[in-house]
Amino acid sequence: MHSKHMDQTPSPSQQSATSATPDPSATPVAPARRSAGLKTPGMAAGALLVGASLLALTGCGNAESGKNDGTSASAAASPAENKGGKHLSKLLWMGDSIAEAEAPALGAAMKAGGVEFKSIASAGGGTVVKGEGPTADFADGTFKDLSKAVGSFHPDVIAYQVTTYDWGTPAQQSSSYERLAKAAKAAGAELVLVSAPPFKIDEFYKGHEAAIASAPKAAKEAAEKNPDQIRFFDASALWGTDSAAGKAQRSKDGIHSCQQGSAAFASWFGQQLSKPYSFTPAAVDRWAKGSWTGDKVYGQLKCG
């Protein structure tokens, strides 16, 4: 868990692992960071913050322009073609703590659009990449959590946001994304891979810059190789590539998003989903000022 930035509850697999008696000689299974000891704010401030940005959000994602809208060729289709697309009724969301901060807004947007939503995004893990070091154990835990989730939720679409922990070679990344696609297919679902927003590369991430840079490329290549099962959305169309730029809408930690950024992502992501799938996103003003803005995750980020 990147706990310098967030205090989060670990995934079920991580909880079971940490409940066992520790072995002093064992290799640590998680990169340990200090807890920031953050507090939870009230809902009103977050609702006002997001409400003030409604007009800006409706323009996210270049939906009308048709230019560089963030979808690969495998995801692109005209509205007329998509009338017969796969019906989207249940969306399962996966990723790390960045995805966890986006989940409250995404859940609200999906619910307003008539789609059931479940998140298994996991702070301090969530990766599916079977690379080297402790993140290999994270990947095993993620697939266990996925198996439990699909068994009870039965999603139509599984969406995985590339995590800050997708550490491995490009070949390891690609094979892991294809493994996720096979798991999705076995569950009767299609897979959407979406690139992570730009985030601050601090001391914790510096030794993994090459893997962080290659992960979205590997995800896109996996989608191009498996167009019938994997779609890739390039979120740089929304966020840009500079985490310090205003467009990136990072919180003060430079990594996660507060309510406004999460709502921007939910609006953009819904537009992307409406292209290949039979799904009509709800208008932003139907969900952006809901109770989700008071979710505890934003208190942990010191969002206003």
Side-chain angles (χ1 to χ4, degrees):
M1 172 168 61
H2 201 351
S3 55
K4 172 182 175 184
H5 307 291
M6 296 184 73
D7 255 340
Q8 297 287 351
T9 302
S11 70
S13 295
Q14 290 170 326
Q15 287 177 328
S16 60
T18 56
S19 64
T21 303
D23 179 0
S25 65
T27 301
V29 297
R33 299 298 295 268
R34 291 192 306 276
S35 171
L38 306 180
K39 299 180 181 179
T40 304
M43 183 183 78
L48 289 172
L49 172 68
V50 178
S53 305
L54 289 177
L55 291 178
L57 293 181
T58 56
C60 292
N62 301 323
E64 285 76 26
S65 69
K67 300 177 182 178
N68 189 27
D69 61 3
T71 57
S72 68
S74 61
S78 71
E81 291 173 322
N82 292 329
K83 287 181 179 179
K86 181 181 178 73
H87 179 64
L88 175 58
S89 63
K90 292 185 177 183
L91 175 68
L92 180 65
W93 179 238
M94 301 177 66
D96 60 8
S97 60
I98 294 179
E100 192 168 51
E102 294 163 342
L106 186 55
M110 291 295 107
K111 183 178 179 180
V115 174
E116 292 184 53
F117 177 82
K118 181 178 179 63
S119 172
I120 58 170
S122 172
T127 183
V128 297
V129 174
K130 188 76 171 175
E132 305 298 331
T135 56
D137 294 323
F138 288 168
D140 290 338
T142 299
F143 276 102
K144 289 179 182 178
D145 294 341
L146 173 63
S147 179
K148 293 176 183 177
V150 298
S152 60
F153 185 61
H154 307 295
D156 306 302
V157 175
I158 296 172
Y160 174 83
Q161 183 170 262
V162 171
T163 82
T164 63
Y165 295 96
D166 282 17
W167 303 342
T169 65
Q172 288 171 327
Q173 291 166 336
S174 182
S175 64
S176 296
Y177 300 142
E178 291 185 20
R179 177 190 174 192
L180 179 59
K182 289 178 181 178
K185 185 175 182 179
E190 292 183 359
L191 176 64
V192 169
L193 300 175
V194 57
S195 59
F199 58 92
K200 180 181 178 182
I201 303 296
D202 61 10
E203 291 299 323
F204 181 72
Y205 291 120
K206 273 189 176 179
H208 307 283
E209 286 186 88
I212 289 169
S214 65
K217 298 175 183 177
K220 182 178 181 181
E221 289 173 1
E224 290 172 345
K225 286 171 58 180
N226 303 274
D228 294 334
Q229 183 60 26
I230 308 176
R231 303 180 190 280
F232 176 74
F233 297 166
D234 183 357
S236 66
L238 169 67
W239 303 119
T241 57
D242 182 1
S243 65
K247 182 179 181 180
Q249 298 192 65
R250 298 302 89 205
S251 68
K252 291 180 180 179
D253 68 8
I255 296 174
H256 307 90
S257 60
C258 285
Q259 294 97 325
Q260 181 178 339
S262 295
F265 175 76
S267 176
W268 175 84
F269 194 68
Q271 291 295 327
Q272 306 316 303
L273 288 173
S274 71
K275 296 172 184 178
Y277 299 110
S278 178
F279 164 67
T280 301
V284 176
D285 58 6
R286 284 184 53 198
W287 56 266
K289 293 189 287 186
S291 60
W292 68 267
T293 60
D295 192 281
K296 66 181 181 180
V297 70
Y298 302 118
Q300 294 161 343
L301 289 168
K302 295 184 178 178
C303 296

